[in-house]
């Protein structure tokens, strides 16, 4: 059975990239939300194995969205994606209890390796 | 001319943004662009993309380009397939997000302090900047591509406080 992914990102480019990278792998994108608010609702409904989360979005940002999801499920596997990947942003991601922040544009090998690390916890 | 934080000079910022535009446009949009001397020539049927940064690096970046360049950028980002007209602005917004995020990551790491990006906004026509907000420095880049010009105007203030 494939491991399921919810993509929370306002960019169709990113969701298409992730779908393309995960085609013919053990992972499958089962949902896409363009805002944090919508992403939280879809998370409650679908309970995906992995959530990829953009930081900069309209409405509530990725950090706030991650906190909300972790409040619902402390074991949620969240991978933050951002074009802004400086040391300060990484520290901020870690401060809310997450481990992984990947830069955009997404590198396929890095994404799949991080999925594996996330789901092996 | 050196800015208040001596590690990050005007030249550093200029080079970082210049290289980010060239590298990311090639990598993400599969489009080659070359920097040219600013000409201030008219760009017809233009669109403007606006990104604002806040923090130690306060700036407004306005990227103007012809509609044909936007279509080509979105097509390159979509594996060479034409993008529906209602999605083109989303693709170009993400393109600008990645270019500016890439540049700002480098600036933040050099400065040792954080600045943040706004969600990019794409509008048809030129953007009228709020003249009440003043910045200390200004940079302009012109890039040419096979499909048209990309003009970048950036005003910024870099503060170590």
């Amino acid at each position: 059975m494939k491991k399921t992914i919810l993509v929370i990102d306002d960019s169709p480019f990113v969701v298409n990239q992730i779908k393309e990278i995960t085609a013919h792998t053990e992972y499958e994108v089962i949902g896409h939300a363009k805002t944090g608010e919508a992403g939280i609702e879809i998370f409650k409904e679908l309970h995906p194995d992995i959530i990829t989360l953009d930081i900069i979005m309209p409405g509530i940002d990725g950090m706030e969205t991650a906190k909300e999801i972790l409040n619902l499920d402390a074991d949620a596997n969240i991978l933050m994606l951002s074009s802004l990947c400086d040391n300060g942003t990484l520290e901020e991601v870690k401060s809310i209890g997450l481990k992984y922040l990947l830069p955009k544009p997404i590198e396929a090998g890095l994404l799949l390796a991080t999925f594996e690390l996330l789901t092996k916890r | 001319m050196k800015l208040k934080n001596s590690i990050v000079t005007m030249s550093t910022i200029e080079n970082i943004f210049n290289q980010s535009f060239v590298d990311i446009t090639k990598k993400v949009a599969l489009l080659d662009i070359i920097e040219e001397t600013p000409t201030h020539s008219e760009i017809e049927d233009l669109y403007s993309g606006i990104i604002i940064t806040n923090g130690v690096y306060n700036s407004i970046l306005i990227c103007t380009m012809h509609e044909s360049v936007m279509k080509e950028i979105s097509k390159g980002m979509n594996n060479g397939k034409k993008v529906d007209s209602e999605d083109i602005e989303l693709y170009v917004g993400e393109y600008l997000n990645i270019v500016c995020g890439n540049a700002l990551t480098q600036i933040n790491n050099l400065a040792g302090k954080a600045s943040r990006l706004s969600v990019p906004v794409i509008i048809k026509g030129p953007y009228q900047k709020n003249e009440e907000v003043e910045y200390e420095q200004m940079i302009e880049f012109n890039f040419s591509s096979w499909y048209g010009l990309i003009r970048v105007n950036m005003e910024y203030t870099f503060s170590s406080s």
Side-chain angles (χ1 to χ4, degrees), chain B:
Chain B
M1 180 182 171
K2 281 192 176 178
L3 300 168
K4 288 177 188 174
N5 180 324
S6 63
I7 295 171
V8 186
T9 64
M10 279 181 66
S11 176
T12 305
I13 290 174
E14 192 167 334
N15 288 339
I16 284 172
F17 271 93
N18 188 323
Q19 203 58 49
S20 193
F21 264 96
V22 171
D23 291 348
I24 297 296
T25 307
K26 173 77 177 178
K27 191 171 185 179
V28 167
L30 311 179
L31 184 66
D32 288 311
I33 60 173
I34 303 169
E35 191 186 3
E36 290 192 342
T37 306
T39 60
H40 305 288
S41 57
E42 284 275 318
I43 300 180
E44 293 178 358
D45 296 326
L46 69 86
Y47 283 75
S48 301
I50 303 107
I51 286 191
I52 291 170
T53 67
N54 290 299
V56 67
Y57 183 76
N58 286 302
S59 73
I60 179 165
L61 183 145
I62 303 166
C63 179
T64 51
M65 61 182 81
H66 189 271
E67 191 178 9
S68 59
V69 179
M70 284 188 49
K71 285 180 179 174
E72 199 57 33
I73 286 173
S74 62
K75 188 176 158 193
M77 292 170 77
N78 196 34
N79 293 320
K81 291 176 287 191
K82 196 176 157 191
V83 169
D84 292 339
S85 55
E86 61 265 26
D87 285 342
I88 289 175
E89 291 179 15
L90 290 173
Y91 275 79
V92 175
E94 182 67 9
Y95 156 76
L96 286 176
N97 175 42
I98 296 172
V99 169
C100 293
N102 184 271
L104 196 60
T105 294
Q106 296 176 66
I107 292 171
N108 282 352
N109 284 339
L110 282 172
K113 296 184 186 208
S115 300
R116 293 289 173 252
L117 281 172
S118 66
V119 175
V121 171
I122 309 291
I123 62 170
K124 191 171 168 68
Y127 175 71
Q128 297 301 328
K129 190 177 84 64
N130 181 354
E131 294 301 332
E132 290 178 6
V133 179
E134 291 186 352
Y135 299 89
E136 290 177 359
Q137 313 293 341
M138 192 179 86
I139 298 174
E140 183 178 333
F141 302 112
N142 272 19
F143 297 102
S144 65
S145 76
W146 183 258
Y147 301 93
L149 198 62
I150 297 175
R151 178 170 295 141
V152 179
N153 289 95
M154 186 167 64
E155 294 182 36
Y156 68 93
T157 300
F158 190 86
S159 168
S160 56
S161 59

Side-chain angles (χ1 to χ4, degrees), chain A residues 81-98:
Chain A
L81 296 174
S82 184
S83 62
L84 191 61
C85 277
D86 58 292
N87 297 330
T89 304
L90 181 58
E91 288 307 312
E92 204 176 334
V93 166
K94 285 180 177 176
S95 75
I96 61 172
L98 301 180

